[in-house]
Amino acid sequence: MIDTSAFMPSVKSQTGTAPSATSGVTIKSTSDTATLASNFTTFLTLLTTQLKNQNPLEPLDTNQFTSQLVQFAGVEQQMKMNQQMASLLSIEQSAQSTAAMAYLGATATVDGSTTKLASGKAQWTFTSDKPATGSISIADSTGNLAYSGTFTLNTGQQKFGWDGKGNNGTQWPDGNYKMTISAKDTSGNPVTVSTTVQGTVDSIDLSATPPTLSIGGSNFTIDKIKNVVRPGL
């Protein structure tokens, strides 16, 4: 019997980093296809030669022959599937980049707690599940406490504006500031408070997967966006 194991290409699992605008899953489709075609041609040549010269009393095992053909077909289909997956990843990546670019220059509201203090003005929007007493603190980009205070929070959405002045009246410089809220109800139980910030999408990082939008010095993915206002609208 002919031994075709030497001509069967081994199938190895593909590995790679997460796809991005500058990287992707590496698939050696051209060389692999050429190797498979060469091995299959060699296999058929040897098989034909054996069929011509086989011993009539010991004919070729048809089950083994069929199994070998099925293995070749399976490898070929797997290689085609890998090529198609790489194409789909490329298309999806391009679609994400195109969608992200549409936000450039727009004013967006996103889930987050960091916003920019500009000309002595900064604003956050927060939502409380129930009436509560909230302890609000604001810190600069290095973690230094700039302001703190205790306020009564109503149920639902409300805004909090800050003029950039600390508790001692000192004016803090423009920059990025993060607000933290710790709230409790009348029974002393913690109350969940979510915060959103608004700012202009001033840059987009297409090398990230998925792409990220820079708003007020912080990066956000598109799924964090709650509302968008186009310039001039």
Side-chain angles (χ1 to χ4, degrees), residues 73-88:
V75 172
E76 182 180 18
Q77 289 300 317
Q78 182 62 51
M79 289 167 57
K80 289 182 177 179
M81 185 178 296
N82 287 345
Q83 295 173 16
Q84 293 171 352
M85 285 297 295
S87 178
L88 288 176

Side-chain angles (χ1 to χ4, degrees), residues 9-66:
S10 60
V11 181
K12 299 181 180 179
S13 60
Q14 296 290 342
T15 59
T17 57
S20 67
T22 56
S23 64
V25 178
T26 301
I27 301 176
K28 299 183 292 183
S29 57
T30 302
S31 61
D32 288 346
T33 302
T35 300
L36 179 65
S38 176
N39 288 337
F40 191 60
T41 299
T42 303
F43 168 75
L44 291 179
T45 300
L46 292 175
L47 177 62
T48 302
T49 301
Q50 181 181 7
L51 289 174
K52 291 180 179 179
N53 299 279
Q54 65 178 327
N55 185 349
L57 301 178
E58 295 182 6
L60 177 67
D61 186 347
T62 55
N63 291 331
Q64 181 181 6
F65 171 55
T66 302

Side-chain angles (χ1 to χ4, degrees), residues 9 18 24-25 78 114 134 136 148 153 163 176 179 219-220:
V25 178
Q78 182 62 51
T114 299
I136 296 177
S148 64
L153 310 182
D163 59 6
N176 295 324
M179 181 177 73
N219 294 325
F220 302 90

